[in-house]
Amino acid sequence: MRFYNYARRVARPTGTLAVALAAVGCSTDMLNVATPNVLADASVSGSLGATTIRNGALRSFATAYSGTQDGFVVVSGNLGDEIQTTDTFADRQNTDQRVATENLGGTLNTTYTNLQLARTGLTTAIERWRAAKPDAAAARDSLAELYAVRSFTETMFAEGYCSGVPFSKVLPNGDFDYGDPLTTAQILARASATADTALSTATATNIRSLAQVARGRALLNLGQYAQAAQAVAGVPTSFRYQIFHSIATTGQNNGIWTATFPAGSRYTISNREGTNGIDYLVTPADPRVPWAPSNRTGFDGSSRNLPQQQKYTAQPAPATLADGIEARLIEAEALLNRTSGGSQADRDAMFAALNQLRATGLATAIPALAAAPTTQPAAVDMLFRERAFWLWLTGHRLGDMRRLIRQYGRAANTVYPVGPMLYRPGQTYGADVNLVIPIRERNNPKFQGCLDRNP
């Protein structure tokens, strides 16, 4: 029988009360109330059960993506150049410093485990939904949404982690089916295929757009620029799929807010981090990267006057997972790569697309970029800077930094932060370009650590 967590057995009472009850011939069954902290398979069967499991799976994804202060958005930004830690814990510090090891635990476990729980939960929800729901348009769209969100989960493993992430599953009898370690390319191929299924299942325009962006993102990571642009063709620029949060419980809060906004937070937003980091915090603030100076102090008590992001200013602030802006950016990158090595016509086309997005991406137009780049390196710089600003604090930047090395031939020490660390005097950055898979994954007998730490 499949269980959705671990059950807890409640023992019969012992001692004076039990003896007294036995002495008068009373049954103790009323004290033997089963209080499991899980639902067994039979408890969530049928159509209602499928809906319950679906809701839980989407909630698990929200937690993994933006629902804790160590969600994917925050932790990937911490390794990249969007966020720095002001914490005292080694797991957060070493990720920021680019020197993490698999046995650190803590945040490493939290982020990875939550993302795996989301992936497995979505897979289970897909299986249950297919078995229990009719083949009607509304049901198909709900199923397609599950596939699309799972595709994003798979892509995040590829963008965030070293090569070698395994995808295991729990069988109906409760046994584990241990997954083989997968290369980054294999994971991205799987993410693309999952998005394909979402697209072939969906009927509603908004769910189709979600699936299209999921597929385009995976293909872009594979360097298949034309195919990525084709995947997102027709997605409205106004399209937006958001993860909603709440003040109802701490677990429902926006974790990006928790991590970077209040006083004493364990993280803060970055600016020109480690020489190579982008100058996000321009004055006046770019509307895509809203921020303000503050007198906040970090959790460590010594990091002071921390800048404060103004994108997520409240606990229930929603977080965008995918939107039409990303679709336009994918198309712009495809234009830049129309011919091998690039041409001025390609650069001019990309430049025009970026300025069109500046004119239409927000309610108020952003001033146009001044001049088209005349070299391919300058064009790549412009494109990835625009991506960094448009997609700020949405979990894209680490994947983009890796792509700059893997697809565009940049050296890691020109992309990632290097040199002395601002909030840890005397410490310098290391050489990590991805998150390490935590040691607890070695419970899988097929997993022996990262296959490699390449971008």
Side-chain angles (χ1 to χ4, degrees):
M1 178 180 293
R2 177 178 293 177
F3 288 85
Y4 294 91
N5 206 321
Y6 291 100
R8 179 175 63 247
R9 183 185 299 274
V10 177
R12 291 176 180 268
T14 59
T16 305
L17 176 60
V19 171
L21 287 168
V24 296
C26 295
S27 171
T28 62
D29 286 346
M30 66 178 182
L31 301 178
N32 190 30
V33 178
T35 56
N37 61 354
V38 297
L39 294 175
D41 193 31
S43 301
V44 285
S45 60
S47 179
L48 181 59
T51 299
T52 300
I53 293 172
R54 178 183 182 276
N55 293 342
L58 291 174
R59 178 62 224 161
S60 292
F61 176 79
T63 298
Y65 176 65
S66 57
T68 77
Q69 67 180 347
D70 296 308
F72 183 81
V73 171
V74 172
V75 171
S76 65
N78 187 36
L79 178 56
D81 67 355
E82 293 179 311
I83 290 174
Q84 293 172 268
T85 189
T86 53
D87 197 17
T88 58
F89 287 24
D91 48 349
R92 297 186 180 98
Q93 289 180 343
N94 287 18
T95 298
D96 188 16
Q97 193 176 352
R98 302 176 58 203
V99 293
T101 59
E102 67 173 20
N103 57 0
L104 271 175
T107 298
L108 289 177
N109 289 340
T110 300
T111 310
Y112 182 83
T113 299
N114 283 345
L115 205 55
Q116 287 283 21
L117 287 172
R119 181 192 62 79
T120 55
L122 289 161
T123 299
T124 298
I126 288 167
E127 294 171 353
R128 288 310 191 92
W129 196 269
R130 289 172 62 91
K133 296 293 184 177
D135 188 27
R140 288 176 64 86
D141 287 330
S142 293
L143 177 61
E145 184 179 11
L146 292 172
Y147 276 115
V149 174
R150 193 182 75 180
S151 174
F152 283 108
T153 305
E154 292 159 348
T155 294
M156 288 173 195
F157 276 113
E159 290 181 348
Y161 286 88
C162 62
S163 184
V165 175
F167 291 162
S168 302
K169 63 181 180 180
V170 180
L171 299 174
N173 64 359
D175 292 339
F176 282 98
D177 180 8
Y178 292 105
D180 293 313
L182 301 172
T183 67
T184 299
Q186 287 174 324
I187 295 174
L188 290 169
R190 179 175 292 200
S192 177
T194 302
D196 283 342
T197 304
L199 191 57
S200 65
T201 304
T203 64
T205 300
N206 63 327
I207 301 300
R208 290 185 61 82
S209 293
L210 178 66
Q212 286 179 263
V213 176
R215 186 167 187 266
R217 182 169 173 178
L219 291 171
L220 193 70
N221 275 285
L222 286 167
Q224 298 178 20
Y225 305 110
Q227 296 92 325
Q230 183 178 8
V232 300
V235 173
T237 304
S238 59
F239 163 71
R240 183 167 54 181
Y241 182 94
Q242 293 184 304
I243 305 298
F244 291 99
H245 294 282
S246 169
I247 62 172
T249 66
T250 301
Q252 293 172 279
N253 290 175
N254 182 311
I256 312 166
W257 176 90
T258 304
T260 61
F261 191 87
S265 62
R266 296 179 186 268
Y267 298 93
T268 188
I269 52 174
S270 299
N271 189 50
R272 298 182 183 273
E273 182 182 357
T275 305
N276 294 323
I278 287 180
D279 56 330
Y280 295 102
L281 309 186
V282 296
T283 303
D286 188 295
R288 300 167 295 180
V289 183
W291 73 283
S294 81
N295 59 2
R296 293 188 312 122
T297 299
F299 182 84
D300 57 13
S302 59
S303 302
R304 302 181 182 279
N305 299 318
L306 301 176
Q308 189 176 53
Q309 58 84 12
Q310 300 292 303
K311 188 170 187 173
Y312 308 101
T313 59
Q315 291 154 298
T320 297
L321 174 64
D323 60 15
I325 289 171
E326 183 176 357
R328 302 292 85 81
L329 290 167
I330 291 172
E331 291 170 341
E333 188 163 352
L335 292 172
L336 180 61
N337 288 278
R338 285 187 301 190
T339 57
S340 178
S343 68
Q344 191 57 47
D346 297 339
R347 294 188 283 271
D348 289 344
M350 179 209 73
F351 176 74
L354 293 178
N355 272 337
Q356 177 66 17
L357 184 56
R358 279 175 165 247
T360 60
L362 298 177
T364 301
I366 303 172
L369 296 164
T374 57
T375 67
Q376 201 70 359
V380 172
D381 288 344
M382 177 181 284
L383 172 68
F384 278 80
R385 179 180 176 83
E386 286 293 285
R387 282 183 61 87
F389 274 68
W390 281 113
L391 303 175
W392 188 58
L393 298 184
T394 60
H396 289 75
R397 180 59 179 163
L398 178 58
D400 277 359
M401 294 170 78
R402 294 179 68 178
R403 289 200 304 116
L404 279 168
I405 303 169
R406 187 174 70 244
Q407 296 175 352
Y408 291 92
R410 301 290 175 92
N413 63 3
T414 68
V415 175
Y416 282 77
V418 296
M421 301 186 72
L422 176 62
Y423 297 117
R424 296 185 66 194
Q427 300 294 315
T428 58
Y429 289 98
D432 289 357
V433 295
N434 46 44
L435 299 168
V436 65
I437 300 168
I439 195 169
R440 62 171 48 176
E441 187 60 78
R442 289 182 183 266
N443 288 309
N444 177 349
K446 297 180 179 180
F447 177 78
Q448 300 300 317
C450 294
L451 296 177
D452 61 61
R453 300 297 304 274
N454 298 332

